[in-house]
Amino acid sequence: MNIYIQKYCKPALLLSLCILILASGAAARPPKRVIKLGFIPLTDCAPLVIAKEMGFFAKYGVDVQLSKEASWAVIRDKILNGELDAAHCLFSMPFSVYTGIGGKAGSEMKIAMILSNNGQAITLSKDFCGLVGFRDIKKVSAAIKSVKARKEVTFAMTFPGGTHDIWLRNWLAACGVNSKSVGIITIPPPQMVANMRVDNMEGFSVGEPWNGVAATQGIGFTQISSQDIWKNHPEKALVANKAFAETDKEDLKNVMKALIDACKWLDVMSNRKKAALLLSKPNYVNAPVQVIEARLMGSTEIGCDMGVQKYKDDYMMFYNNGVVNTPKLSYGIWFMAQYMRFGMISNAPDYNAVAQKLIMSDLYNEVAKSMAVPIQEDMKPFKTNLETIVFDPKNPAPYIAGSKK
């Protein structure tokens, strides 16, 4: 404004008028758009919290409001109806919704990037103490039969077809337990511990810190961590409302850049104590800072007097030299293959077409290249920890036919 005044408003009589015109023009500019991002109180909402608290959103010129939500179903509904522009979300949730397992079939939620790998777990109640140990899958089937002799056995997960649901079903299959032979219910993550305390279920599959909270409170113990089921698996993603993803791409790209900066910051281990302190606050995760910090640092207190497990290269990761963040089509195809494997859908979808429809690979690649983030190779066969069959994303049928149910 000062340059304009000096150049065009030199006559004294025009000075006041010029200032008024320029001021009114500035006032007439539309305010910066507020972008609303949802999250569930889990440790792996950290990229959103850090991007907000450490100023990364501001660095990229986006005005972001974080919204703490009660359940994944609420996240789904608010993304689909536009109340949320995007959210911290289960990576597989858009596929669950699109295929009709977890919502109205054909509803589109767009995956922009992955936010985290690892860091979930399956917790068993005190009823299983002494019957089965940490990562001891060979004794789980007999332990379930033993508990079944006294009462019905029910397990909880957080969203039908979500990542926690699929970790639970994979674990049961590896243990020789058909998932249809036990009860499986849906409970929001923050309510898991309270429900186990009042004996509403014998086990649950959920993200941290709720497994850690159950162990430290003596309510249950960690039987297996999700990275023991599949090392460096995709977990949470940035999932966007379709309209926001298609019409506000510059804003979305800037949100993604801020989150990548936050993911890099989080993977500096000396930063994780501060991250735990921020996450523990009531407006975020609202859980004991010691529990959040321990598992962020790769230290798992198992519970039931079974000591501590130290994870050295497969604790919760957010960047991992760029390995984490690429939203791979093969991951989406794997989750849809699980839906066929466990009878959650009856007809095979067009795996590749659905993955390409929901995953914004081109947008992510553009952002990653602009930030010199290595883009990971996709569509290669891979195998998870508890399985012997290799999964080929270009041909899922043999894997589905040969896998344990």
Side-chain angles (χ1 to χ4, degrees), residues 217-274:
Q217 292 185 1
I219 293 164
F221 67 98
T222 299
Q223 203 285 319
I224 194 168
S225 294
S226 58
Q227 54 265 43
D228 298 318
I229 297 170
W230 177 5
K231 183 178 179 179
N232 295 334
H233 64 78
E235 182 49 46
K236 299 303 188 299
L238 178 68
V239 172
N241 165 269
K242 183 182 179 183
F244 176 66
E246 293 179 351
T247 63
D248 291 320
K249 285 188 178 178
E250 290 306 311
D251 278 343
L252 179 53
K253 285 192 288 186
N254 285 325
V255 167
M256 292 165 68
K257 289 175 183 178
L259 290 171
I260 288 172
D261 274 3
C263 288
K264 290 179 178 179
W265 186 93
L266 280 159
D267 269 9
V268 176
M269 295 305 285
S270 59
N271 289 335
R272 292 202 172 188
K273 287 182 180 290
K274 183 171 184 177

Side-chain angles (χ1 to χ4, degrees), residues 343-356:
M344 302 168 81
I345 53 176
S346 54
N347 296 310
D350 186 334
Y351 296 106
N352 197 59
V354 175
Q356 291 196 27

Side-chain angles (χ1 to χ4, degrees), residues 80-94:
L80 290 175
N81 69 24
E83 288 183 63
L84 293 173
D85 295 300
H88 152 256
C89 193
L90 301 162
F91 175 83
S92 60
M93 198 161 94

Side-chain angles (χ1 to χ4, degrees), residues 66-101:
L66 298 185
S67 179
K68 183 176 179 177
E69 305 297 346
S71 69
W72 293 119
V74 172
I75 291 270
R76 174 201 60 201
D77 294 344
K78 288 189 175 183
I79 288 178
L80 290 175
N81 69 24
E83 288 183 63
L84 293 173
D85 295 300
H88 152 256
C89 193
L90 301 162
F91 175 83
S92 60
M93 198 161 94
F95 301 101
S96 169
V97 172
Y98 189 86
T99 56
I101 296 168

Side-chain angles (χ1 to χ4, degrees), residues 95 329 332-333 336 350-360:
F95 301 101
L329 301 176
I333 294 169
M336 288 185 282
D350 186 334
Y351 296 106
N352 197 59
V354 175
Q356 291 196 27
K357 182 189 287 285
L358 300 183
I359 294 177
M360 304 181 73

Side-chain angles (χ1 to χ4, degrees), residues 193-400:
V193 175
N195 274 272
M196 182 170 278
R197 185 182 290 113
V198 296
D199 202 29
N200 281 343
M201 75 288 231
E202 284 61 58
F204 60 69
S205 175
V206 73
E208 298 300 347
W210 306 115
N211 301 285
V213 170
T216 57
Q217 292 185 1
I219 293 164
F221 67 98
T222 299
Q223 203 285 319
I224 194 168
S225 294
S226 58
Q227 54 265 43
D228 298 318
I229 297 170
W230 177 5
K231 183 178 179 179
N232 295 334
H233 64 78
E235 182 49 46
K236 299 303 188 299
L238 178 68
V239 172
N241 165 269
K242 183 182 179 183
F244 176 66
E246 293 179 351
T247 63
D248 291 320
K249 285 188 178 178
E250 290 306 311
D251 278 343
L252 179 53
K253 285 192 288 186
N254 285 325
V255 167
M256 292 165 68
K257 289 175 183 178
L259 290 171
I260 288 172
D261 274 3
C263 288
K264 290 179 178 179
W265 186 93
L266 280 159
D267 269 9
V268 176
M269 295 305 285
S270 59
N271 289 335
R272 292 202 172 188
K273 287 182 180 290
K274 183 171 184 177
L277 187 61
L278 290 169
L279 289 165
S280 70
K281 292 181 177 181
N283 56 320
Y284 293 132
V285 179
N286 193 27
V289 64
Q290 297 88 347
V291 176
I292 297 173
E293 181 184 313
R295 296 205 176 193
L296 266 180
M297 300 300 287
S299 180
T300 295
E301 181 183 340
I302 298 166
C304 276
D305 299 319
M306 283 188 274
V308 175
Q309 170 68 27
K310 297 280 190 180
Y311 289 92
K312 295 180 179 179
D313 65 347
D314 55 354
Y315 43 76
M316 193 178 292
M317 299 280 195
F318 300 95
Y319 181 67
N320 194 16
N321 298 314
V323 170
V324 172
N325 306 118
T326 301
K328 294 184 181 181
L329 301 176
S330 57
Y331 291 160
I333 294 169
W334 185 86
F335 277 103
M336 288 185 282
Q338 304 306 306
Y339 302 159
M340 284 296 295
R341 171 187 177 183
F342 293 114
M344 302 168 81
I345 53 176
S346 54
N347 296 310
D350 186 334
Y351 296 106
N352 197 59
V354 175
Q356 291 196 27
K357 182 189 287 285
L358 300 183
I359 294 177
M360 304 181 73
S361 299
D362 290 345
L363 188 73
Y364 174 79
N365 291 348
E366 181 184 343
V367 170
K369 286 175 183 175
S370 74
M371 300 182 73
V373 175
I375 298 167
Q376 305 305 304
E377 190 176 354
D378 198 0
M379 296 304 287
K380 291 178 64 177
F382 59 85
K383 185 168 70 71
T384 64
N385 295 35
L386 297 185
E387 296 182 301
T388 57
I389 301 177
V390 172
F391 176 76
D392 184 353
K394 295 176 183 176
N395 183 23
Y399 164 88
I400 296 168

Side-chain angles (χ1 to χ4, degrees), residues 29-77:
R29 294 189 194 111
K32 188 185 295 185
R33 182 188 188 284
V34 176
I35 298 166
K36 195 169 182 180
L37 302 183
F39 71 93
I40 294 294
L42 291 161
T43 302
D44 54 25
C45 74
L48 279 70
V49 173
I50 295 305
K52 181 72 172 178
E53 294 285 346
M54 300 303 294
F56 295 127
F57 287 134
K59 171 184 172 181
Y60 291 99
V62 283
D63 184 2
V64 168
Q65 176 187 343
L66 298 185
S67 179
K68 183 176 179 177
E69 305 297 346
S71 69
W72 293 119
V74 172
I75 291 270
R76 174 201 60 201
D77 294 344

